[in-house]
Amino acid sequence: TVNVTRQAAAVAAHGLRARPLAEGAMEAITSAYFSLANSEWLPYALLALAFAMLLQSLFGAPATFDSEQSGKAPPAAEEEEEPDPPRDFTIEQLRKFNGVVTEDDKFNPDAGKIYICLKGTVYNVSAAANMYGPGGNYHLFAGRDASLALAKMSFEDQHLDNPDLSGISAVEMDQLEQWINKYKYEKEYPVVGKLSTPPARRPMTVEELAEFNGAGAVPEGRVDPPLYVGIKGKVYDVSYGGVDMYKPG
Protein backbone atom coordinates (compact mmCIF):
# COMPACT_ATOMS: atom_id res chain seq x y z
CA THR A 1 0.00 0.00 0.00
CA VAL A 2 2.85 2.37 0.79
CA ASN A 3 4.40 1.68 -2.60
CA VAL A 4 1.08 2.29 -4.32
CA THR A 5 0.69 5.62 -2.51
CA ARG A 6 4.19 6.72 -3.49
CA GLN A 7 3.64 5.75 -7.07
CA ALA A 8 0.35 7.64 -7.15
CA ALA A 9 2.04 10.75 -5.75
CA ALA A 10 4.81 10.55 -8.33
CA VAL A 11 2.33 10.17 -11.14
CA ALA A 12 0.28 13.11 -9.84
CA ALA A 13 3.34 15.37 -9.72
CA HIS A 14 4.36 14.53 -13.26
CA GLY A 15 0.95 13.79 -14.73
CA LEU A 16 -0.67 17.21 -14.29
CA ARG A 17 0.94 18.13 -17.61
CA ALA A 18 0.08 14.83 -19.27
CA ARG A 19 -2.60 14.54 -21.92
CA PRO A 20 -5.88 12.85 -20.92
CA LEU A 21 -6.26 9.26 -21.95
CA ALA A 22 -8.25 8.58 -25.07
CA GLU A 23 -11.49 6.72 -24.92
CA GLY A 24 -9.82 3.64 -26.37
CA ALA A 25 -7.32 3.62 -23.52
CA MET A 26 -10.16 3.79 -20.99
CA GLU A 27 -11.77 0.75 -22.56
CA ALA A 28 -8.46 -1.08 -22.46
CA ILE A 29 -8.10 -0.39 -18.73
CA THR A 30 -11.62 -1.64 -18.09
CA SER A 31 -10.84 -4.80 -20.01
CA ALA A 32 -7.67 -5.21 -17.99
CA TYR A 33 -9.73 -5.00 -14.80
CA PHE A 34 -11.65 -8.14 -15.69
CA SER A 35 -8.49 -9.99 -16.63
CA LEU A 36 -6.89 -9.00 -13.35
CA ALA A 37 -9.91 -9.51 -11.13
CA ASN A 38 -8.46 -12.62 -9.58
CA SER A 39 -4.85 -11.46 -9.46
CA GLU A 40 -2.75 -9.49 -7.02
CA TRP A 41 -2.51 -6.58 -9.50
CA LEU A 42 -6.15 -5.59 -9.06
CA PRO A 43 -5.46 -2.69 -6.62
CA TYR A 44 -2.99 -1.15 -9.06
CA ALA A 45 -5.40 -1.43 -11.97
CA LEU A 46 -8.17 0.23 -9.95
CA LEU A 47 -5.84 3.04 -8.92
CA ALA A 48 -4.76 3.67 -12.51
CA LEU A 49 -8.36 3.73 -13.70
CA ALA A 50 -9.45 6.17 -11.00
CA PHE A 51 -6.47 8.45 -11.65
CA ALA A 52 -7.13 8.51 -15.40
CA MET A 53 -10.75 9.45 -14.85
CA LEU A 54 -9.64 12.25 -12.51
CA LEU A 55 -7.31 13.72 -15.16
CA GLN A 56 -10.03 13.45 -17.80
CA SER A 57 -12.51 15.38 -15.66
CA LEU A 58 -9.97 18.08 -14.76
CA PHE A 59 -8.45 18.83 -18.15
CA GLY A 60 -10.98 17.62 -20.70
CA ALA A 61 -10.12 16.58 -24.26
CA PRO A 62 -6.57 17.18 -25.52
CA ALA A 63 -5.88 20.11 -27.79
CA THR A 64 -4.68 19.52 -31.32
CA PHE A 65 -1.03 19.89 -32.24
CA ASP A 66 -1.63 22.82 -34.58
CA SER A 67 -3.60 24.84 -32.04
CA GLU A 68 -0.94 24.21 -29.41
CA GLN A 69 1.85 25.39 -31.62
CA SER A 70 0.18 28.47 -33.04
CA GLY A 71 -2.41 29.34 -30.39
CA LYS A 72 -4.88 30.18 -33.15
CA ALA A 73 -6.66 28.64 -36.08
CA PRO A 74 -4.64 28.26 -39.29
CA PRO A 75 -5.10 31.17 -41.73
CA ALA A 76 -7.52 30.70 -44.59
CA ALA A 77 -6.05 30.10 -48.02
CA GLU A 78 -5.64 33.27 -50.10
CA GLU A 79 -8.05 33.61 -52.97
CA GLU A 80 -6.46 33.66 -56.41
CA GLU A 81 -6.95 36.84 -58.38
CA GLU A 82 -9.28 36.33 -61.30
CA PRO A 83 -7.60 37.09 -64.64
CA ASP A 84 -8.96 39.83 -66.87
CA PRO A 85 -11.14 38.57 -69.75
CA PRO A 86 -9.43 38.45 -73.19
CA ARG A 87 -9.65 41.65 -75.20
CA ASP A 88 -8.57 43.13 -78.51
CA PHE A 89 -5.29 45.05 -78.80
CA THR A 90 -3.89 47.46 -81.32
CA ILE A 91 -0.14 47.65 -81.92
CA GLU A 92 -0.02 50.94 -80.00
CA GLN A 93 -1.90 49.50 -77.03
CA LEU A 94 0.31 46.42 -76.89
CA ARG A 95 3.46 48.57 -76.71
CA LYS A 96 2.40 49.83 -73.28
CA PHE A 97 2.72 46.33 -71.78
CA ASN A 98 6.50 46.20 -71.78
CA GLY A 99 7.12 45.83 -68.04
CA VAL A 100 8.47 49.36 -67.64
CA VAL A 101 7.00 51.24 -64.67
CA THR A 102 7.20 55.04 -64.53
CA GLU A 103 6.09 57.65 -62.02
CA ASP A 104 2.91 58.15 -64.04
CA ASP A 105 1.94 54.50 -63.39
CA LYS A 106 1.23 54.87 -59.67
CA PHE A 107 -2.49 54.27 -60.18
CA ASN A 108 -2.21 52.10 -63.27
CA PRO A 109 -3.36 48.52 -62.49
CA ASP A 110 -1.59 47.26 -65.62
CA ALA A 111 1.79 48.74 -64.70
CA GLY A 112 4.58 46.20 -64.89
CA LYS A 113 2.67 43.67 -66.97
CA ILE A 114 4.49 42.12 -69.92
CA TYR A 115 2.59 40.97 -73.01
CA ILE A 116 3.96 39.41 -76.19
CA CYS A 117 2.08 38.57 -79.38
CA LEU A 118 2.68 35.42 -81.45
CA LYS A 119 0.62 34.88 -84.61
CA GLY A 120 -2.13 37.23 -83.46
CA THR A 121 -2.49 35.79 -79.94
CA VAL A 122 -1.34 37.94 -77.01
CA TYR A 123 0.27 36.17 -74.05
CA ASN A 124 0.94 37.44 -70.55
CA VAL A 125 4.58 36.57 -69.87
CA SER A 126 4.86 38.65 -66.68
CA ALA A 127 5.81 35.48 -64.77
CA ALA A 128 9.08 35.49 -66.73
CA ALA A 129 9.98 39.11 -65.99
CA ASN A 130 13.60 38.06 -65.45
CA MET A 131 13.73 37.23 -69.16
CA TYR A 132 11.29 39.68 -70.74
CA GLY A 133 11.33 42.53 -68.23
CA PRO A 134 13.68 45.54 -68.19
CA GLY A 135 17.26 44.29 -68.23
CA GLY A 136 16.26 40.83 -69.46
CA ASN A 137 17.82 39.21 -72.53
CA TYR A 138 14.48 39.19 -74.36
CA HIS A 139 13.14 42.56 -73.22
CA LEU A 140 13.04 43.87 -76.79
CA PHE A 141 10.14 41.46 -77.41
CA ALA A 142 8.08 42.87 -74.52
CA GLY A 143 4.97 44.69 -75.72
CA ARG A 144 5.66 43.70 -79.32
CA ASP A 145 4.47 41.33 -82.02
CA ALA A 146 7.44 38.96 -81.95
CA SER A 147 6.13 36.48 -84.52
CA LEU A 148 8.51 37.29 -87.37
CA ALA A 149 11.46 37.94 -85.08
CA LEU A 150 11.18 34.58 -83.30
CA ALA A 151 10.56 32.76 -86.57
CA LYS A 152 13.85 34.14 -87.87
CA MET A 153 15.52 34.11 -84.44
CA SER A 154 16.27 37.78 -85.08
CA PHE A 155 16.86 40.62 -82.65
CA GLU A 156 16.51 43.24 -85.36
CA ASP A 157 13.86 45.90 -84.77
CA GLN A 158 12.74 45.62 -88.41
CA HIS A 159 11.36 42.16 -87.65
CA LEU A 160 9.19 43.35 -84.75
CA ASP A 161 5.53 44.38 -85.03
CA ASN A 162 5.36 42.88 -88.50
CA PRO A 163 2.43 40.45 -88.70
CA ASP A 164 3.19 39.48 -92.30
CA LEU A 165 4.54 35.92 -92.26
CA SER A 166 3.94 35.19 -95.94
CA GLY A 167 7.62 35.40 -96.82
CA ILE A 168 9.09 33.04 -94.20
CA SER A 169 10.36 29.57 -95.01
CA ALA A 170 8.95 26.25 -93.78
CA VAL A 171 11.85 25.95 -91.35
CA GLU A 172 11.14 29.40 -89.93
CA MET A 173 7.43 28.63 -89.61
CA ASP A 174 8.30 25.44 -87.73
CA GLN A 175 10.55 27.48 -85.46
CA LEU A 176 7.69 29.87 -84.70
CA GLU A 177 5.30 26.98 -83.99
CA GLN A 178 7.80 25.60 -81.49
CA TRP A 179 7.77 28.93 -79.66
CA ILE A 180 3.95 28.94 -79.65
CA ASN A 181 3.84 25.41 -78.23
CA LYS A 182 6.33 26.46 -75.58
CA TYR A 183 4.17 29.42 -74.59
CA LYS A 184 0.96 27.39 -74.58
CA TYR A 185 1.88 24.03 -73.13
CA GLU A 186 5.30 24.22 -71.50
CA LYS A 187 5.18 27.65 -69.88
CA GLU A 188 1.36 27.89 -69.90
CA TYR A 189 1.39 31.67 -70.27
CA PRO A 190 -2.16 33.08 -69.96
CA VAL A 191 -3.80 34.26 -73.17
CA VAL A 192 -5.02 37.84 -72.68
CA GLY A 193 -6.36 38.65 -76.11
CA LYS A 194 -5.81 39.12 -79.82
CA LEU A 195 -3.76 41.63 -81.81
CA SER A 196 -5.34 43.15 -84.91
CA THR A 197 -5.42 46.27 -87.01
CA PRO A 198 -8.55 48.47 -86.69
CA PRO A 199 -10.50 49.22 -89.88
CA ALA A 200 -9.39 52.22 -91.87
CA ARG A 201 -11.16 55.51 -91.27
CA ARG A 202 -14.10 56.27 -93.54
CA PRO A 203 -17.19 58.46 -93.59
CA MET A 204 -20.13 56.89 -91.78
CA THR A 205 -23.82 57.73 -91.54
CA VAL A 206 -25.86 57.56 -88.35
CA GLU A 207 -27.60 54.47 -89.71
CA GLU A 208 -24.29 52.73 -90.38
CA LEU A 209 -23.00 53.68 -86.94
CA ALA A 210 -26.02 52.04 -85.30
CA GLU A 211 -25.03 48.67 -86.77
CA PHE A 212 -21.80 48.61 -84.78
CA ASN A 213 -23.40 48.26 -81.35
CA GLY A 214 -21.34 45.33 -80.10
CA ALA A 215 -24.03 42.76 -80.85
CA GLY A 216 -22.81 41.75 -84.29
CA ALA A 217 -20.61 38.89 -85.46
CA VAL A 218 -17.03 38.60 -84.25
CA PRO A 219 -14.59 39.12 -87.16
CA GLU A 220 -11.82 36.58 -87.73
CA GLY A 221 -8.81 37.28 -85.55
CA ARG A 222 -10.80 39.33 -83.06
CA VAL A 223 -12.14 38.70 -79.54
CA ASP A 224 -15.19 40.97 -79.62
CA PRO A 225 -17.47 42.34 -82.35
CA PRO A 226 -16.90 45.95 -83.47
CA LEU A 227 -18.32 48.53 -81.10
CA TYR A 228 -18.35 52.17 -82.18
CA VAL A 229 -19.28 55.36 -80.32
CA GLY A 230 -19.85 58.70 -82.06
CA ILE A 231 -18.94 61.95 -80.26
CA LYS A 232 -19.07 65.38 -81.90
CA GLY A 233 -18.80 64.08 -85.43
CA LYS A 234 -16.02 61.59 -84.69
CA VAL A 235 -16.45 57.81 -84.46
CA TYR A 236 -14.35 55.90 -81.93
CA ASP A 237 -13.77 52.14 -82.00
CA VAL A 238 -14.14 51.27 -78.31
CA SER A 239 -14.03 47.53 -78.95
CA TYR A 240 -10.28 47.81 -78.34
CA GLY A 241 -10.25 47.85 -74.55
CA GLY A 242 -13.62 49.46 -73.85
CA VAL A 243 -16.04 46.57 -74.33
CA ASP A 244 -16.80 46.15 -70.63
CA MET A 245 -18.01 49.75 -70.43
CA TYR A 246 -19.96 50.00 -73.68
CA LYS A 247 -21.15 46.47 -74.45
CA PRO A 248 -24.90 45.69 -74.45
CA GLY A 249 -26.25 45.17 -70.94
Side-chain angles (χ1 to χ4, degrees):
T1 304
V2 174
N3 291 335
V4 171
T5 303
R6 289 178 178 175
Q7 291 176 4
V11 171
H14 176 71
L16 289 178
R17 298 179 181 177
R19 296 289 177 265
L21 295 176
E23 182 178 351
M26 297 291 292
E27 293 178 356
I29 292 176
T30 303
S31 177
Y33 165 75
F34 290 104
S35 64
L36 295 173
N38 297 321
S39 69
E40 60 181 358
W41 295 101
L42 179 59
Y44 296 95
L46 290 175
L47 178 61
L49 177 60
F51 189 64
M53 295 178 64
L54 175 63
L55 291 178
Q56 183 74 23
S57 64
L58 288 176
F59 299 105
T64 62
F65 177 79
D66 290 340
S67 62
E68 288 178 352
Q69 295 292 348
S70 62
K72 57 183 178 180
E78 295 183 1
E79 296 184 0
E80 294 185 0
E81 182 180 354
E82 293 186 3
D84 294 330
R87 49 159 289 192
D88 290 296
F89 292 88
T90 66
I91 286 289
E92 293 76 17
Q93 290 173 336
L94 182 63
R95 289 294 297 267
K96 298 177 181 179
F97 294 88
N98 59 5
V100 177
V101 180
T102 66
E103 294 182 358
D104 296 333
D105 293 324
K106 292 181 179 180
F107 302 102
N108 182 6
D110 295 325
K113 292 182 179 179
I114 306 172
Y115 294 172
I116 293 178
C117 176
L118 296 180
K119 287 187 72 174
T121 300
V122 181
Y123 298 89
N124 183 348
V125 300
S126 303
N130 59 322
M131 296 177 56
Y132 298 104
N137 293 333
Y138 296 96
H139 178 58
L140 77 161
F141 298 137
R144 311 293 291 271
D145 183 346
S147 305
L148 186 61
L150 291 178
K152 293 179 172 293
M153 294 303 294
S154 169
F155 288 87
E156 299 294 330
D157 192 71
Q158 62 180 340
H159 293 140
L160 292 170
D161 296 336
N162 185 353
D164 185 9
L165 303 176
S166 59
I168 67 175
S169 66
V171 174
E172 292 171 337
M173 179 60 75
D174 182 69
Q175 177 70 30
L176 176 57
E177 291 296 336
Q178 290 183 33
W179 277 98
I180 293 174
N181 288 335
K182 181 177 181 179
Y183 273 39
K184 280 185 177 180
Y185 307 113
E186 182 179 340
K187 299 299 183 180
E188 296 184 346
Y189 293 134
V191 173
V192 293
K194 294 283 188 178
L195 179 68
S196 60
T197 302
R201 296 182 179 181
R202 66 179 180 86
M204 187 174 295
T205 65
V206 174
E207 291 75 17
E208 290 175 326
L209 177 63
E211 297 178 2
F212 297 95
N213 59 0
V218 178
E220 183 179 359
R222 294 282 300 272
V223 174
D224 297 298
L227 181 57
Y228 297 170
V229 174
I231 301 177
K232 291 186 176 182
K234 293 184 178 180
V235 176
Y236 298 89
D237 187 347
V238 297
S239 54
Y240 286 89
V243 172
D244 288 341
M245 296 179 60
Y246 296 99
K247 66 182 179 180

